[in-house]
């Protein structure tokens, strides 16, 4: 692999309690290549969201990064100071959350939300921002007259697409998506992921896709990492994770998912 | 509810507040044991400063301040808890019924609640007390109980509405549980924290308001209470003649009772809302960061 | 076992709003629940599946059509209905009262619907219910909900539903809020209950793969209408309605990468398919054995 876009090395994160600590992430290491669609799978509490937050430096106490590095194109994200962090966010790494439907400010129009980001980072004025926003909305197949709308006038899927468009505004190198489509219907989910896949090929950014839906990940990811209780138990190409899982837990996950077509899983496979 | 009590025992604020409260209650109950004087008798020379004979000095008419304080505690506590209980019971019952039943019943209760809420509390009390003439603590307690429940209804109703949406309430209804049972046994146990906070808040309110009414001269001057002590001290211009003990004693007593109750309230709130519980954890976290054990 | 369905919806419609703003949450919906069989009800949000669940639980009345319980119209004065039809909810965190123990949750239904039992018999019944859902009675009975995992709470919820001796269970997305590795256990439990107790199960979900796992028959809803229905294998392997085909092609399937998926062909026409599928269609076409669709216009 040429210099990876993201390199997580021996990352350990704890949640500090009154008497004892909870190890959310335990010595996790993985790389993401430029332009790669990487998936991080696992059930609730496995630590996948914790890693995502750490990459964006979004953690608050009682979270504590105990050890390890997070290198974005060679620079350790954990060492960045406030000013560097400000430049870093949105332009190098952008993040889409599960409840992104609630990430949009309900009292601002869509246009203003784009303006916020474009003005702060690129110094654009209102009309320049409007033009760029229209271009970005087109990327996610939304008509530019939506710029004048408020978030509550758009459907859940549409809001999610708007957030993605804002994330792409500054051409980040890495797009992190934390369960972006879990609350949406399958058809909308498919539309959004397929679009992101196309945009990734067109613009060359990498994607860190976090979800519990292993079947979905095999469809769209290049490589997949499986997490269990803070540890990364298996990392492999998507097809191999599906056809030749190495770790017991991965096998257990596959045995727990009913199949839509073909041979059904066995009932006693628990 | 068990969790609430065990949580309270481990909470510093609760323990301190409880200690203060227990001390005051003890002083009130054990009054005859703590002082040999009678609160209404002239036992010394006027406006004596604190001395071994009179721990908190004497009033303008020669009564022992300390004696008045410990006997007065009985009145304040009785009115406080009595009115507080009435306010809480009325507020909780109406709030749960309004929140659970909805519809017309909700509208009617809301209407009356709004009426009572809109009427300014203290002026109403002043008018009522003035109308009655010299209001004894019992009368004051009843007036407070009947006029101050509105806010409690609001809070209880809001919480009931949010609990009502939950699946376990639907499940109980589908099972065929009667409405009174759902309100009393399914919804109410989840409201204990709110009701507790409401109750203690009402007690504080009742204590302070009683003292206020008496200080303003609307109480019965023959009662022994902290409010009347303030009234007498004010009339005797205690502060200007330098008899600070006369005025400050009831003041500090009221403040202390309020503080104790408020601490207990904060503690209940903290336990009910785990997000507010930061003290222990945050201390440890900061310590670790300083020791270089980690970062954000 | 008689062939009369235990519970049936007969041409039921439910409208919200009036005049121009009237929305048909359910339009001419008919289906039947038979003892010992599971019927899956699938669709996106807003398709009408929740409305059907609410109509069956009698949270509100149909505006047209009727509910048939053992062949006769279900009217208000049927105390029997309340016992016979129970529901399992989606959110394991709000399904149990945080202030009460597991024992309390299982005792109440027995006290209300089996008054003839004395204390000893009740305790035995509670223990039996817990064992049925594969939980240890001695361990679980005194616990409070916050001490239980999501899967355990859902099992208690099932035990409570079984306590009154129901004939129909409406399961509304019972596993969607549980962890993946826990879901199968709950589905297996539902399957077993159905077989051993002869229950009629209505399984409502948006996760179609699980529908294949538990249900013999399936109904696909869109915009308040049933657009396709029939035996699960038939509908899922050979969908005839364009909306069903669209839905199935969008379901995550690890065997098919995005680029190779049939979704791409369907996707080109998503707007159109949705628009046409929403048009009220009284005509029904048989496309296979027991397999029907409401064809789209044009």
């Amino acid at each position: 692999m040429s210099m990876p876009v993201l390199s997580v090395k021996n990352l350990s994160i704890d949640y500090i309690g009154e008497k004892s600590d909870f190890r959310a992430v335990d010595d996790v290491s993985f790389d993401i290549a430029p332009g790669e669609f990487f998936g991080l799978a696992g059930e609730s509490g496995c630590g996948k969201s914790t890693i995502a937050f750490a990459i964006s430096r979004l953690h608050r106490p009682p979270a504590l990064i105990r050890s390890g590095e997070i290198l974005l194109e060679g620079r350790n994200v954990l060492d960045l100071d406030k000013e560097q962090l400000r430049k870093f966010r949105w332009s190098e790494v952008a993040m889409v959350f599960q409840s992104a439907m609630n990430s949009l400010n309900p009292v601002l129009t869509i246009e203003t939300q784009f303006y916020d980001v474009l003005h702060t980072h690129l110094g654009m004025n209102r009309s320049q921002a409007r033009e760029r926003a229209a271009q970005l909305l087109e990327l996610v197949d939304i008509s530019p007259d939506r710029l004048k709308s408020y978030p509550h006038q758009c459907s859940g899927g549409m809001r999610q697409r708007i957030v993605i468009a804002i994330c792409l505004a500054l051409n980040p190198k890495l797009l992190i998506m934390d369960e972006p489509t879990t609350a949406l219907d399958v058809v909308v989910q498919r539309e959004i992921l397929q679009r992101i896949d196309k945009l990734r090929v067109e613009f060359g950014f990498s994607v860190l896709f976090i979800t519990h839906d292993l079947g979905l990940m095999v469809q769209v990811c290049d490589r997949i990492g499986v997490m269990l209780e803070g540890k990364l138990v298996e990392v492999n190409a998507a097809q191999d994770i599906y056809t030749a899982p190495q770790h017991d837990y991965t096998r257990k996950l596959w045995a727990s998912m009913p199949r839509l077509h073909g041979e059904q899983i066995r009932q006693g496979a628990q | 509810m068990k969790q609430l009590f065990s949580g309270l025992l481990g909470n510093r604020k609760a323990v301190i507040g409880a200690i203060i409260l227990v001390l005051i209650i003890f002083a009130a109950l054990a009054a005859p044991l703590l002082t040999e004087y009678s609160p209404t008798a002239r036992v010394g020379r006027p406006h004596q400063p604190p001395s071994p004979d009179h721990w908190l000095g004497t009033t303008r008419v020669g009564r022992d301040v300390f004696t008045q304080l410990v006997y007065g505690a009985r009145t304040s506590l009785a009115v406080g808890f009595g009115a507080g209980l009435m306010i809480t019971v009325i507020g909780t019952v109406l709030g749960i019924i309004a929140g659970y039943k909805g519809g017309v019943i909700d509208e009617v209760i809301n209407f009356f609640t709004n009426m009572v809420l809109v009427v300014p509390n203290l002026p109403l009390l002043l008018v009522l007390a003035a109308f009655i003439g010299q209001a004894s603590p019992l009368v004051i307690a009843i007036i407070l109980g009947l006029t101050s429940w509105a806010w409690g209804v609001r809070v209880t109703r809001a919480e009931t509405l949010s609990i009502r949406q939950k699946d376990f309430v639907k499940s109980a209804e589908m099972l065929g549980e009667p409405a009174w049972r759902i309100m009393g046994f399914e919804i109410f146990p989840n409201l204990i924290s709110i009701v507790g906070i409401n109750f203690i808040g009402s007690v504080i309110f009742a204590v302070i308001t009683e003292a206020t009414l008496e200080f303003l001269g609307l109480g019965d001057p023959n009662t022994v209470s902290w409010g009347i002590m303030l009234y007498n001290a004010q009339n005797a211009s205690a502060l200007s003649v330098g008899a600070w003990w006369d005025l400050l004693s009831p003041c500090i007593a009221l403040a202390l009772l309020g503080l104790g109750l408020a601490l207990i309230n904060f503690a209940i709130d903290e336990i009910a809302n785990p997000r507010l519980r930061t003290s222990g954890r945050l201390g440890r976290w900061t310590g670790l960061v300083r020791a270089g054990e980690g970062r954000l | 076992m008689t062939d009369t369905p235990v519970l049936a919806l007969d041409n039921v419609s439910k409208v919200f709003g009036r005049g121009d703003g009237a929305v048909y949450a359910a339009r001419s919906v008919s289906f039947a629940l038979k003892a010992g069989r599971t019927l899956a009800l699938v669709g996106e949000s807003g398709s009408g599946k929740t409305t059907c669940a609410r109509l069956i639980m009698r949270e509100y009345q149909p505006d047209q059509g009727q509910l048939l319980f053992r062949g006769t119209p279900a009217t208000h004065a049927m105390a029997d209905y309340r016992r016979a039809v129970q529901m399992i909810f989606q959110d394991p965190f709000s399904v149990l009262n945080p202030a009460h123990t597991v024992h309390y949750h299982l005792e109440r239904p027995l006290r209300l619907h089996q008054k003839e039992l004395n204390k000893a018999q009740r305790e035995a019944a509670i223990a039996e219910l817990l064992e049925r859902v594969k939980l240890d009675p001695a361990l679980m009975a005194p616990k409070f909900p916050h001490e239980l995992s999501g899967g355990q709470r859902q099992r208690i919820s099932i035990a409570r539903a079984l306590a009154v001796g129901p004939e129909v269970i409406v399961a509304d997305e019972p596993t969607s809020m549980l962890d993946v590795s826990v879901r199968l256990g709950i589905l297996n439990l539902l399957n077993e209950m159905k077989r051993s107790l002869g229950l009629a199960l209505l399984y409502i979900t948006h996760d179609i793969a699980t529908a294949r796992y538990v249900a013999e028959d399936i109904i696909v809803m869109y915009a308040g209408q049933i657009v396709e229905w029939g035996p699960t294998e038939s509908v899922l392997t050979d969908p005839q309605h364009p909306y069903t085909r669209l839905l199935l092609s969008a379901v995550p399937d690890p065997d098919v990468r995005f680029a190779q998926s049939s979704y791409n062909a369907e996707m080109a026409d998503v707007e159109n398919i949705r628009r046409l599928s929403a048009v009220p269609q009284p005509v029904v076409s048989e496309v296979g054995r027991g397999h029907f669709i409401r064809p789209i216009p044009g």
Side-chain angles (χ1 to χ4, degrees), chain C:
Chain C
M1 205 182 285
T2 142
D3 227 18
T4 320
V6 182
L7 188 65
L9 262 65
D10 182 22
N11 212 23
V12 164
S13 294
K14 181 75 191 162
V15 190
F16 290 108
R18 272 181 307 229
D20 271 350
V23 170
Y24 272 83
R27 189 195 292 274
S28 308
V29 169
S30 299
F31 61 79
L33 300 173
K34 303 205 175 82
R37 288 178 80 85
T38 304
L39 175 66
L41 180 50
V42 304
E44 298 177 291
S45 46
S47 59
K49 45 190 213 293
T50 315
T51 308
C52 288
R54 295 221 173 110
L55 284 166
I56 291 179
M57 298 316 296
R58 308 232 308 238
E59 259 180 67
Y60 33 70
Q61 300 297 311
D63 292 314
Q64 281 155 36
Q66 54 187 350
L67 214 62
L68 295 169
F69 178 50
R70 294 208 203 103
T72 56
T75 52
H76 265 296
M78 276 178 114
D80 209 20
Y81 189 96
R82 193 177 255 159
R83 180 202 54 78
V85 181
Q86 289 293 315
M87 186 151 168
I88 298 172
F89 302 87
Q90 178 179 17
D91 184 357
F93 290 91
S94 79
V95 94
L96 299 177
N97 191 332
H100 292 303
T101 58
V102 167
H103 184 271
Y104 176 91
H105 282 98
L106 296 179
E107 197 189 14
R108 286 312 301 165
L110 293 173
R111 276 199 184 248
L112 284 167
H113 292 270
Q114 295 193 45
K115 297 197 173 94
E116 66 279 7
L117 298 177
N118 64 31
K119 184 150 166 54
Q121 289 167 322
R122 256 203 315 272
E123 294 300 314
I126 292 176
E128 197 210 319
L129 282 167
L130 284 168
E131 275 163 10
R132 257 194 201 280
V133 296
K134 312 279 192 296
L135 292 174
D136 179 348
L139 207 59
M140 287 289 148
K143 286 208 180 209
F144 283 92
H146 70 269
E147 298 174 285
L148 306 172
S149 70
Q152 287 169 329
R153 278 184 241 200
Q154 209 58 313
R155 284 174 193 267
I156 305 285
S157 164
I158 294 174
R160 179 177 55 187
L162 294 175
V164 297
E167 291 166 57
V168 176
I169 295 220
V170 176
D172 188 1
E173 309 257 20
T175 55
S176 63
M177 292 183 81
L178 298 174
D179 272 332
V180 172
S181 59
V182 174
R183 291 180 189 181
L184 201 63
I186 301 291
L187 294 179
N188 286 338
L189 190 60
L190 289 175
N191 273 345
E192 198 190 305
M193 298 291 104
K194 171 184 76 177
R195 279 195 288 266
S196 62
L197 298 173
L199 297 171
L201 217 66
L202 178 63
Y203 178 68
I204 301 175
T205 186
H206 65 270
D207 185 348
I208 305 179
T210 58
R212 183 175 175 236
Y213 188 77
V214 300
E216 292 92 0
D217 306 295
I218 191 168
I219 284 176
V220 181
M221 283 187 80
Y222 182 72
Q225 276 191 114
I226 300 182
V227 297
E228 184 159 3
W229 65 103
T232 312
E233 277 308 307
S234 183
V235 171
L236 293 184
T237 44
D238 194 19
Q240 295 296 309
H241 195 282
Y243 176 72
T244 316
R245 287 210 282 255
L246 173 68
L247 196 61
L248 290 176
S249 66
V251 170
D253 184 359
D255 284 315
V256 187
R257 293 282 293 179
F258 270 8
Q260 287 95 34
S261 159
S262 65
Y263 179 78
N264 303 310
E266 313 283 0
M267 186 195 167
D269 225 12
V270 169
E271 290 307 315
N272 223 20
I273 293 175
R274 286 195 191 276
R275 194 176 48 83
L276 292 171
S277 301
V279 172
Q281 172 62 279
V283 174
V284 169
S285 251
E286 184 161 6
V287 294
R289 250 190 46 178
H291 182 174
F292 301 88
I293 63 169
R294 287 188 200 277
I296 55 171

Side-chain angles (χ1 to χ4, degrees), chain B residues 3 15-16 19 37 45 73 89 97-98 108 111 133 196 223-224 228 239 246 268 272 290 294:
Chain B
Q3 303 160 252
V15 170
I16 298 177
I19 291 178
Y37 300 123
R45 300 218 319 275
V89 167
I97 295 177
V108 169
F111 175 72
T223 50
V224 179
I228 294 296
L239 220 46
D246 201 6
I268 298 181
R290 276 205 210 107

Side-chain angles (χ1 to χ4, degrees), chain B residues 230-277:
Chain B
L230 284 172
Y231 172 68
N232 290 332
Q234 171 71 343
N235 282 349
S237 312
L239 220 46
S240 359
V241 303
W244 51 267
W245 54 90
D246 201 6
L247 191 65
L248 283 184
S249 303
C251 273
I252 294 182
L254 282 166
L256 215 56
L257 179 58
L259 176 67
L261 291 167
L263 283 173
I264 296 179
N265 243 7
F266 287 141
I268 298 181
D269 204 14
E270 260 184 21
I271 292 170
N273 266 329
R275 266 169 284 174
L276 294 172
R277 278 184 254 168

Side-chain angles (χ1 to χ4, degrees), chain B residues 55-77:
Chain B
W55 295 349
L56 287 175
T58 59
T59 69
R60 171 92 155 59
V61 294
R63 297 193 185 132
D64 182 51
V65 172
F66 180 74
T67 310
Q68 291 215 308
L69 207 63
V70 291
Y71 277 93
R74 294 183 173 185
T75 319
S76 294
L77 288 172

